[in-house]
Amino acid sequence: MSGLDWIVLLITLLTIIVYGIYKSRGTVNIDGFLLGNKSFPWYHVTLSVMATQASAITFLSAPGLAFSSGMAFVQFYFGLPLAMIVLCITFVPIFHKLKVYTAYEFLENRFDLKTRALTAFLFLIQRGLSTGITIYAPSIILSTILNIDTTYTTIFIGSLVVIYTVYGGTKAVSYTQLLQMSVIFSGLLIAGILVVNMLPETVGFGKALQIAGKMGRTNAIDFNFDWNNQYTVLSGLIGGFFLQLSYFGTDQSQVGRYLTGSSISQSRLGLLMNGLVKIPMQFLILLIGVLVFTFYQYHQPPVFFNSYELGKLEKSQYSPELNKIKSDYANAFNDKQAEVKKLEIALDANDESAINSQRVLLQDADKKTKAIRQQAVDLMQKNDPDADTNDNNYVFLSFVTQYLPKGLIGLLIAIIFLASMGSTASALNSLASTTVIDIYKRLINKEDSDKKYLAVSRWATVIWGFFCILMALYASKMGNLIEAVNILGSLFYGTILGIFVVAFYLKKIGGSATFAAAIITEAVVFACWWSNIMAFLWLNVVGCLLVVIFAYVIQIMENRKSKVLIVRRPVSPD
């Protein structure tokens, strides 16, 4: 990056961090640290909720996913508006009226302590692991810019977020997220406009989408039902609904955001606006990835987008072989570019026969470049078996750093940093609140001063930050980060949601039946995932339904057992 980019990056980051810390000054009790004294208006809730969900993973991996496989991922969010409606009707008023710090406090009132502890434990595992992935994402950026190993950048980024989360708590998180989302929306709009402007003069926005479409990158909607297809309209509406309902309704990282609303109506309005804005926002991010794909049909992309791993190979004993691969790759790209231009001519002439013929030739040329690229990946593994050979997360970053004008590079990288810091800080805050409220305060030290609980909350943030940094060091093995974090969530969210569904709607089922059902269900969900029986979104549906069914059956068995014991109990003589 240029000096100007570094200045823009540092000024943007420091301004927002200092602003958040300044606005959160005077946090002296646990209510202020964990819930921001429940003082925020609806628009603040909306932006905070969106910022918590929109991590650096969103802005790094989503364009890379669209680049490699198209826009089908947008269907993942189709169940979100429906989930927001259910939350506003059921979850929000109950949580507000009970004046809880965490969602899991409600479960003890409804069931018992062991069910509350189990649910909190499942959340802590899931969110702790997922937060590691969100820390790893911006470390990729810094690693690429400085050309150093992600281990060092991961430790630096994680430590930075932990420091300002420990100091300011929820207020620091929420106030910084307000500015973050404003900068993010502006930066994304500018990036999209610039991608189109950098295409050849003969290729406008419409033709760019046509070219990408002929190569299978504009497949945003799929109405077919396929149990093993990750992204379809049906899996998005049903599986996505269950996942989003569990995420926003039972995940403390989100519950803690809308509990900061000054009233029930403000929290509701904030969630509804999130449901309306999130799908267009995600569509725009994926669309940028598709436009970047078209851009790289006219400009030769690197043989491997992760410059750090490629640099290691260039300095190795296999450098001559790599140079040969690069030469073959350049020749294959020139051949593909010729086919792209022929397709462009066919599109201008609106000749369907020529378009279909050219599409096949272009796809064949694309397969040839991919085969040569795979040779570089194989050589990379030969040189270093532990090399990170998935560069999907580096596609958009590579484009930004190589082609965008000075100053804007720093701004866009700042956006990705800010997104990561916002979501990571929210997650750390939720991990701390659950640990203190549901574990420490309930099981270890029930009677202590507010000052002591505040101190424990800050220490819990530090400890979880350390754990998440350790997890982040292994995140490179998980492939595309946006898919990895959602798969990880799907292993737990269905079970957690099922517990809350029973709590809200099945009043005759008790804690023991629900506790047993949750444990059995979690084992089944992991077995389904391990056996690769279904696409991950369906795990949320299966998990929720199984908890309800198992809990119902177990409760019936318990009731019958109780009746038998009552009947068999001997009657004492008068």
Side-chain angles (χ1 to χ4, degrees):
M1 290 201 309
S2 67
L4 177 61
D5 289 311
W6 278 109
I7 292 172
V8 171
L9 172 61
L10 293 174
I11 289 177
T12 305
L13 292 178
L14 288 175
T15 299
I16 291 181
I17 291 173
V18 170
Y19 174 75
I21 292 176
Y22 170 76
K23 294 292 287 186
S24 63
R25 70 195 188 282
T27 299
V28 295
N29 56 44
I30 193 171
D31 189 65
F33 187 81
L34 298 181
L35 295 181
N37 296 315
K38 296 185 177 180
S39 59
F40 297 128
W42 68 266
Y43 59 86
H44 210 140
V45 173
T46 297
L47 294 176
S48 184
V49 165
M50 292 183 66
T52 298
Q53 190 178 24
S55 68
I57 296 171
T58 304
F59 302 103
L60 283 180
S61 296
L65 194 61
F67 178 92
S68 60
S69 59
M71 298 184 66
F73 181 72
V74 74
Q75 297 168 113
F76 171 83
Y77 294 97
F78 282 4
L80 178 62
L82 297 175
M84 295 300 98
I85 293 172
V86 173
L87 284 172
C88 289
I89 295 172
T90 306
F91 288 62
V92 172
I94 290 177
F95 289 155
H96 264 279
K97 288 176 182 177
L98 291 176
K99 297 181 179 180
V100 296
Y101 286 100
T102 74
Y104 317 113
E105 290 180 80
F106 162 73
L107 295 178
E108 184 176 358
N109 295 330
R110 170 63 178 84
F111 294 128
D112 49 36
L113 178 58
K114 66 178 181 295
T115 307
R116 171 186 179 179
L118 173 64
T119 311
F121 178 71
L122 292 175
F123 162 73
L124 290 172
I125 295 174
Q126 184 277 134
R127 181 49 53 195
L129 296 175
S130 298
T131 303
I133 300 176
T134 63
I135 290 175
Y136 175 70
S139 73
I140 291 175
I141 305 170
L142 205 55
S143 171
T144 301
I145 295 171
L146 301 178
N147 197 33
I148 59 176
D149 193 275
T150 53
T151 300
Y152 306 110
T153 55
T154 297
I155 294 173
F156 171 74
I157 293 296
S159 301
L160 180 66
V161 178
V162 169
I163 289 170
Y164 94 89
T165 307
V166 167
Y167 178 82
T170 287
K171 277 193 174 182
V173 173
S174 296
Y175 277 114
T176 54
Q177 286 175 333
L178 185 65
L179 282 182
Q180 286 167 16
M181 292 309 296
S182 303
V183 175
I184 284 169
F185 281 130
S186 302
L188 285 175
L189 182 61
I190 294 171
I193 294 172
L194 286 176
V195 176
V196 175
N197 287 338
M198 286 188 289
L199 292 170
E201 292 183 2
T202 56
V203 181
F205 177 74
K207 190 179 291 185
L209 293 183
Q210 283 183 300
I211 293 171
K214 299 305 177 184
M215 298 183 71
R217 297 304 190 279
T218 57
N219 52 334
I221 304 295
D222 184 354
F223 288 101
N224 296 316
F225 174 74
D226 183 353
W227 191 255
N228 294 308
N229 191 347
Q230 304 275 40
Y231 309 115
T232 65
V233 170
L234 198 60
S235 71
L237 283 173
I238 300 176
F241 167 77
F242 279 84
L243 175 59
Q244 303 293 351
L245 186 61
S246 183
Y247 176 53
F248 287 96
T250 69
D251 189 313
Q252 184 59 27
S253 66
Q254 283 293 358
V255 174
R257 303 276 65 76
Y258 58 76
L259 283 182
T260 61
S262 58
S263 65
I264 293 175
S265 61
Q266 293 298 301
S267 293
R268 280 174 166 169
L269 190 54
L271 284 176
L272 290 174
M273 287 303 297
N274 171 66
L276 292 174
V277 175
K278 180 62 181 178
I279 295 176
M281 173 184 166
Q282 194 63 46
F283 182 86
L284 173 61
I285 295 170
L286 290 168
L287 183 62
I288 291 173
V290 171
L291 293 172
V292 169
F293 172 82
T294 303
F295 175 85
Y296 276 126
Q297 305 312 303
Y298 293 92
H299 300 80
Q300 182 179 328
V303 69
F304 195 74
F305 284 101
N306 185 339
S307 59
Y308 176 73
E309 293 290 352
L310 186 62
K312 287 198 302 185
L313 188 58
E314 289 171 340
K315 297 173 184 177
S316 72
Q317 59 180 320
Y318 300 105
S319 180
E321 294 178 53
L322 178 62
N323 290 334
K324 174 65 167 57
I325 291 173
K326 286 182 176 180
S327 177
D328 293 342
Y329 185 73
N331 292 332
F333 176 79
N334 289 333
D335 294 339
K336 186 176 79 168
Q337 195 174 36
E339 300 299 340
V340 171
K341 291 179 179 178
K342 290 178 183 177
L343 175 62
E344 187 184 331
I345 294 171
L347 288 170
D348 287 335
N350 200 25
D351 186 339
E352 287 297 326
S353 176
I355 290 172
N356 291 330
S357 175
Q358 204 55 46
R359 183 189 66 215
V360 174
L361 292 173
L362 180 55
Q363 289 175 345
D364 289 341
D366 189 50
K367 289 178 182 177
K368 185 177 179 180
T369 59
K370 287 181 178 178
I372 296 172
R373 183 180 181 278
Q374 185 59 44
Q375 294 176 18
V377 173
D378 294 340
L379 193 63
M380 196 172 293
Q381 286 182 313
K382 187 177 179 181
N383 177 59
D384 179 8
D386 295 325
D388 180 9
T389 56
N390 187 327
D391 66 342
N392 192 273
N393 301 306
Y394 292 82
V395 172
F396 185 59
L397 178 61
S398 177
F399 167 77
V400 167
T401 54
Q402 290 186 35
Y403 292 100
L404 293 190
K406 293 179 180 179
L408 187 59
I409 295 174
L411 178 62
L412 286 176
I413 291 177
I415 285 172
I416 301 173
F417 266 109
L418 292 170
S420 174
M421 290 165 64
S423 60
T424 303
S426 293
L428 290 176
N429 190 254
S430 67
L431 289 167
S433 61
T434 302
T435 302
V436 173
I437 299 299
D438 296 294
I439 306 297
Y440 180 81
K441 188 176 181 181
R442 183 62 186 85
L443 300 175
I444 299 173
N445 190 348
K446 297 181 180 179
E447 301 293 336
D448 214 327
S449 66
D450 215 36
K451 186 177 180 181
K452 178 64 179 294
Y453 289 133
L454 176 60
V456 173
S457 298
R458 287 191 162 125
W459 275 110
T461 304
V462 173
I463 293 169
W464 276 112
F466 179 72
F467 173 85
C468 294
I469 290 172
L470 289 179
M471 177 60 195
L473 298 176
Y474 294 93
S476 63
K477 309 299 181 184
M478 296 185 176
N480 185 276
L481 299 181
I482 198 166
E483 288 190 314
V485 75
N486 285 306
I487 290 171
L488 189 57
S490 296
L491 294 176
F492 297 93
Y493 278 143
T495 301
I496 296 174
L497 177 61
I499 294 171
F500 276 89
V501 168
V502 173
F504 284 134
Y505 302 111
L506 303 176
K507 301 298 183 183
K508 293 183 179 181
I509 297 179
S512 296
T514 307
F515 181 84
I519 293 176
I520 297 170
T521 297
E522 197 58 39
V524 173
V525 168
F526 267 87
C528 290
W529 170 69
W530 187 262
S531 305
N532 200 25
I533 293 175
M534 63 190 73
F536 75 86
L537 274 176
W538 293 109
L539 295 175
N540 299 280
V541 184
V542 170
C544 180
L545 294 181
L546 285 183
V547 170
V548 173
I549 293 170
F550 287 152
Y552 182 77
V553 171
I554 293 171
Q555 187 63 54
I556 290 176
M557 294 171 63
E558 286 184 354
N559 292 342
R560 287 180 178 176
K561 185 178 179 180
S562 298
K563 289 180 180 178
V564 169
L565 290 174
I566 293 173
V567 170
R568 291 181 178 178
R569 184 180 300 162
V571 179
S572 59
D574 293 337

